[in-house]
Amino acid sequence: MSLTLYNTLTKRKDTFQPIDPANVRMYVCGPTVYDFAHIGNARPVIVFDVLFRMLRHTYGAEHVTYVRNITDVDDKINARAANDFPDLPLNEAIRQVTSRTEKQFHDDIAALGVLPPTVEPRATEHIDEMKRLCAALVERGHAYVAEGHVLFHVASMPDYGQLSNRTLEEMEAGARVEVAPYKRDPMDFVLWKPSKPGEPAWPSPCGIDTAGRPGWHIECSAMAEKHLGPVFDIHGGGIDLVFPHHENEIAQSRCAHGTRVMANVWMHNGFLQVEGEKMSKSLGNFITINELLATKAFGASQWHGRVVRLAMLGTHYRQPIDWTAERLVQARATLIDFAKIVQGAPVADAPHDEVVAALADDLNTPSVLSIVHGLAKSARRNPDQAAQLNATLQFLGLLGGETPQELNAGVVTADIDAAKVSGLIEARSAARRAKDFKESDRIRDELAAMGVQLKDAKDPKTGEITTSWEVTS
């Protein structure tokens, strides 16, 4: 079965042909460990976990190398460390912040059914590789040294901008670039910079006599080369990384090694919104994975990690996704139903062929889930088919032996306050009359998270809408 993937670099869906089928190689940008990962960060983790599973199924688990890095040196880490541990030396404070944040990241994504990558390199363990890249770029005339910095000279690469499909002039007009007197050109970007007193610092490359630290982009180029080679199969990440991060990775790697590409296929997942709006702390809709799993901060309910995963896979990875409580409610009800069907069933040797075929079409998870619903319907009538449904759900990472009761943990179902429900329904009706549909939807989602489903009925004579409700979970 051939695997087709949409390639951001070529702007089309192509048949995937690995460089070496015995060692299929993929790199995905991982977290910068200064704060808990938010639900937007969870999307690429889940998407590329699905691709990792598909590659393992197609080529064999021992023939796939998946690298997802940890960025543990960054200005945001320094700022968080100074804020959270003001009485500690900065380097010790940084160790405290990065260790606790990395552990939380691993705990959170494990709950989402995510497999560990083959290799998880840390930036601070690859400083020598970064310095060698800097030196190679200077030697080849693609970078220069200025006031303790090593900077990539964008004009030295004629086809810079292929990934984002923008000309240098367009990028200059739209980019927020640091204006610095030591730059030859405003678009030139930092490969290495001087460290401030107390910050993490290493001996600098290229004859610079002051200590310094790497820029963000050079980190991924160095780690990818170390573990996958100068050219590899797939590079992934969120759509927000196309420019400048991935564009700059390509520039560094290609110019340092003299290669035509850095990775043959570039894949990017779409943006995530929360209840129709961009997620931001100022709007009060910033949600971490941990808050979804461990608190009732979203939708008045805790959510099992497998439920979060199913809700995420309901939209194709390249499309934007609107993250709502209603989406999670529906995913929970569906997954509980699946768990009831396969409870006590054995696990078949392989997932269903139609599911694998749908995944082979650029990870078409909406089609996958439609097929899975059909498998569940058949298994409900014929329990002998539950084994293959079970294998399929485990292949997708949607179940790992959880019971229906475990998936339902944290739901507010007992002793539902009818007066409270009636009050919320009246408030929703008032919001609808005022055409405040955002508030109306918010109340609907709050009720859904409580296990209350609304049914609106319009009187054909008067046109008035009445609302009834029932407990669904």
Side-chain angles (χ1 to χ4, degrees), residues 262-274:
M262 176 186 183
N264 284 334
V265 180
W266 288 80
M267 297 177 65
H268 296 91
N269 62 271
F271 286 115
L272 178 143
Q273 291 185 316
V274 176

Side-chain angles (χ1 to χ4, degrees), residues 342-458:
V342 303
Q343 192 166 23
V347 181
D349 293 336
H352 198 278
D353 288 344
E354 290 183 18
V355 166
V356 175
L359 273 188
D361 180 18
D362 194 32
L363 305 186
N364 190 345
T365 54
S367 179
V368 164
L369 296 181
S370 177
I371 295 166
V372 170
H373 277 285
L375 297 177
K377 185 176 180 180
S378 297
R380 197 178 290 111
R381 293 195 304 263
N382 182 0
D384 290 343
Q385 297 181 20
Q388 188 160 62
L389 174 63
N390 203 358
T392 301
L393 292 168
Q394 295 202 23
F395 167 63
L396 295 169
L398 293 174
L399 282 180
E402 292 85 0
T403 66
Q405 293 75 22
E406 289 170 330
L407 296 169
N408 208 32
V411 183
V412 183
T413 55
D415 301 323
I416 288 179
D417 186 338
K420 180 179 179 181
V421 171
S422 297
L424 287 169
I425 290 174
E426 178 53 40
R428 175 175 175 267
S429 298
R432 287 165 67 90
R433 288 193 295 269
K435 300 189 183 302
D436 186 353
F437 298 113
K438 180 180 175 182
E439 175 64 8
S440 169
D441 290 345
R442 186 199 66 76
I443 295 171
R444 178 205 64 204
D445 289 346
E446 181 179 348
L447 287 163
M450 294 166 58
V452 174
Q453 181 176 359
L454 301 182
K455 293 184 178 180
D456 293 323
K458 187 175 182 179

Side-chain angles (χ1 to χ4, degrees), residues 11 52 85 189 264 271 292 331 337 356 427 447:
K11 310 297 184 293
F52 182 37
F85 300 97
F189 58 89
N264 284 334
F271 286 115
L292 282 177
D337 183 47
V356 175
L447 287 163

Side-chain angles (χ1 to χ4, degrees), residues 15-65:
T15 299
F16 175 64
Q17 295 180 323
I19 298 166
D20 178 6
N23 184 19
V24 182
R25 291 163 286 164
M26 176 170 69
Y27 185 95
V28 176
C29 292
T32 300
V33 285
Y34 73 98
D35 201 357
F36 285 10
H38 57 70
I39 190 60
N41 301 138
R43 194 175 193 193
V45 171
I46 292 172
V47 165
F48 292 104
D49 179 69
V50 172
L51 179 55
F52 182 37
R53 291 166 179 266
M54 183 62 182
L55 293 172
R56 285 160 54 100
H57 178 79
T58 305
Y59 297 98
E62 69 278 14
H63 299 304
V64 180
T65 303

